[in-house]
Amino acid sequence: METKTFNQDYVTSFSKQLGEPDWLTDLRLQALAKSEDLPMPKPDKTKIDKWNFTHFKEHVVKNEALSSLTDLDEDVKALIDVEASNNNLYVQVNNTAAYTSISEELKAQGVILMDIHTAASEHSELVKKYFMTDGVKVDEHRLTALHAALLNGGVFVYVPKNVEVAEPIQTIFVHNDPNTTLFNHVIVVADDNSSVTYVENYISTVQEVEGVFNIISEVFANTNSRVTYGAVDTLAKGITTYVNRRGVAARDARIEWALGLMNDGDTISENVTNLMGDGSYGDTKSVVVGRGEQKQNFTTKVVHFGKHSEGYILKHGVMKDSASSIFNGIGKIEHGASKSNAEQESRVLMLSEKARGDANPILLIDEDDVTAGHAASVGRVDPIQLYYLMSRGISKVEAERLVIHGFLAPVVKELPIEGVKKQLVEVIERKVR
């Protein structure tokens, strides 16, 4: 099926089928019209004109609700504490909101955790305030417009003012149908003086398929709030993925990202944090492993608007086989953002002759009274480190494995849920073996 077959009647019918409010139906229709003329995104140093982002088999929402978490595949159950009685958990199977659980305590405090379609209906004005307004814009390019028009999954998380959520909120997006096409939207809002840790997994339990995933996350940290956002993406080979994670931090707010980007298909990833308020803080840690003939582009950007704002980027990638990845790190300090600090570090480790990694640190400074710095390296496993380990009786294969895990540890250790952290370690182990 091609996207050109989606007309206004289809989009209107699909939106009404989901019980969405008029404003969202209208937004979908406007986005569909804009998508006809908008250009595709142009990630630096990566040609995507022949990548498939728009041809797919199905665009549906099925009824795949779970009667119990025990119905999940073992790989998925390993990510959560199935026996726990107070999980703050959302599970989506393909496009269906299959399971939602939130503690009575958080409900009483006004915390919202629900699928994006239900939230748009039951909390219409709140979702309208944040959905593709100050974060990702509908008309940024063709893929953002198509995302808005064809939205068919996602979750809405809202933490009211002065509420601190002690335990992580976890979401798992399970892909087990080879025909699935996912236009998934995540919104996480921490209102004034609140805090939340949010951790998500995209996990394929099917092997090589042909598919299109278009994923957008919008994170809003309002005044003096804090959002910690962890993610591990492990989508199957053959899935072409566009993922855009965008954060907006207000005065004295903090957004911290810990991202394990482990897809096996071709991927374009954008991660942008806009430090809008004075004293705002953004920290992005990303770890990537590429293998086979994968082509990937990862752009991480922190933009300083507020005075005394701090932005940090740390990216570590491992490339093997014939995989190639571009790592673009951008620290931008706008005029007026005095006393700000932009720091970044990108390092790529290549395990084979045909593997390619390109680390591009960029600083764009439009203010005098600031500090900024960057570091980048691309190379192979340090023979001195291998020699040291092997001199202690460790085999070359095991020594190389230890070096790789040590290289990626700064990001892995930041994930706040042990099951997810363990999964990321296992995925790294499998991909570099």
Side-chain angles (χ1 to χ4, degrees):
M1 182 182 291
E2 300 182 15
T3 52
K4 66 182 181 182
T5 63
F6 295 107
N7 56 29
Q8 290 190 346
D9 289 341
Y10 175 87
V11 170
T12 300
S13 175
F14 184 72
S15 181
K16 295 305 181 185
Q17 173 192 336
L18 295 170
E20 294 176 347
D22 290 342
W23 69 261
L24 185 49
T25 305
D26 292 341
L27 186 149
R28 284 180 180 273
L29 293 173
Q30 292 168 17
L32 182 68
K34 290 177 180 179
S35 71
E36 297 292 327
D37 300 317
L38 287 169
M40 293 290 284
K42 293 185 169 84
D44 190 39
K45 296 188 177 183
T46 302
K47 292 185 66 175
I48 63 169
D49 52 311
K50 294 183 180 179
W51 290 27
N52 175 31
F53 291 103
T54 58
H55 295 65
F56 43 84
K57 297 177 181 178
E58 293 183 356
H59 176 262
V60 295
V61 175
K62 300 175 182 177
N63 183 12
E64 301 184 73
L66 298 169
S67 58
S68 168
L69 291 177
T70 58
D71 295 341
L72 292 167
D73 291 338
E74 292 300 320
D75 288 348
V76 180
K77 284 192 287 187
L79 301 174
I80 57 181
D81 184 355
V82 176
E83 304 300 324
S85 59
N86 61 340
N87 281 326
N88 299 309
L89 175 67
Y90 171 83
V91 179
Q92 181 175 301
V93 178
N94 301 311
N95 308 110
T96 303
Y99 181 91
T100 307
S101 173
I102 183 170
S103 71
E104 292 301 322
E105 178 185 3
L106 291 188
K107 282 183 184 177
Q109 292 176 303
V111 175
I112 300 170
L113 170 63
M114 62 177 58
D115 72 270
I116 193 78
H117 307 297
T118 302
S121 176
E122 296 186 4
H123 303 279
S124 181
E125 290 305 311
L126 193 57
V127 175
K128 183 180 180 180
K129 178 179 179 181
Y130 292 104
F131 184 83
M132 300 189 82
T133 53
D134 294 328
V136 178
K137 302 294 197 300
V138 170
D139 58 359
E140 289 186 16
H141 47 67
R142 190 180 183 204
L143 295 184
T144 55
L146 286 174
H147 176 94
L150 302 177
L151 169 73
N152 65 357
V155 67
F156 181 73
V157 178
Y158 175 77
V159 181
K161 294 179 180 179
N162 307 312
V163 173
E164 295 187 7
V165 179
E167 297 298 320
I169 290 176
Q170 185 175 11
T171 64
I172 302 176
F173 301 101
V174 182
H175 166 229
N176 64 14
D177 182 346
N179 292 327
T180 294
T181 297
L182 186 61
F183 290 82
N184 210 58
H185 199 96
V186 173
I187 298 176
V188 178
V189 180
D191 219 327
D192 298 351
N193 308 309
S194 67
S195 66
V196 63
T197 295
Y198 169 88
V199 181
E200 71 183 9
N201 285 85
Y202 286 87
I203 179 169
S204 292
T205 60
V206 290
Q207 300 303 312
E208 184 174 350
V209 296
E210 288 187 23
V212 175
F213 279 36
N214 184 319
I215 297 165
I216 289 179
S217 293
E218 300 185 283
V219 175
F220 300 91
N222 291 346
T223 301
N224 196 40
S225 66
R226 177 173 180 169
V227 177
T228 300
Y229 191 112
V232 179
D233 303 344
T234 55
L235 295 173
K237 183 179 180 181
I239 295 176
T240 303
T241 304
Y242 168 73
V243 56
N244 186 336
R245 293 182 169 112
R246 185 78 53 87
V248 180
R251 179 173 54 83
D252 295 325
R254 297 172 67 95
I255 299 177
E256 298 171 63
W257 309 86
L259 309 175
L261 307 170
M262 299 288 149
N263 293 337
D264 276 331
D266 294 342
T267 300
I268 296 296
S269 172
E270 298 180 47
N271 178 224
V272 180
T273 306
N274 290 320
L275 303 177
M276 304 302 298
D278 293 350
S280 53
Y281 178 98
D283 187 343
T284 304
K285 294 182 174 69
S286 305
V287 60
V288 176
V289 176
R291 63 177 177 177
E293 297 181 351
Q294 271 186 286
K295 293 180 177 59
Q296 301 184 93
N297 184 293
F298 303 95
T299 298
T300 305
K301 185 176 183 180
V302 178
V303 187
H304 300 249
F305 295 93
K307 295 179 173 63
H308 297 273
S309 55
E310 295 185 59
Y312 301 93
I313 297 171
L314 176 65
K315 304 166 80 170
H316 282 196
V318 174
M319 297 295 113
K320 62 175 293 189
D321 304 324
S322 299
S324 63
S325 288
I326 304 296
F327 297 85
N328 299 311
I330 304 170
K332 186 176 184 184
I333 300 180
E334 299 287 358
H335 182 67
S338 58
K339 308 293 185 183
S340 293
N341 181 29
E343 303 286 344
Q344 61 171 291
E345 176 185 325
S346 296
R347 303 203 181 276
V348 184
L349 196 62
M350 294 183 293
L351 303 184
S352 60
E353 290 296 327
K354 292 184 178 180
R356 292 290 179 268
D358 189 355
N360 305 301
I362 301 167
L363 291 173
L364 304 172
I365 312 298
D366 194 23
E367 180 60 55
D368 295 329
D369 189 13
V370 299
T371 56
H374 64 73
S377 67
V378 177
R380 306 198 181 279
V381 175
D382 188 342
I384 296 176
Q385 290 179 323
L386 289 181
Y387 177 80
Y388 177 84
L389 292 168
M390 291 168 66
S391 70
R392 266 87 183 142
I394 299 173
S395 70
K396 182 178 180 180
V397 172
E398 179 65 10
E400 189 173 82
R401 188 186 72 83
L402 290 173
V403 170
I404 291 167
H405 279 285
F407 177 75
L408 300 178
V411 176
V412 176
K413 70 181 182 181
E414 295 295 321
L415 288 168
I417 293 180
E418 286 303 316
V420 177
K421 188 183 300 184
K422 180 181 177 184
Q423 181 225 12
L424 180 54
V425 171
E426 291 172 350
V427 171
I428 292 169
E429 187 81 18
R430 185 174 71 245
K431 293 191 77 168
V432 300
R433 189 176 301 155

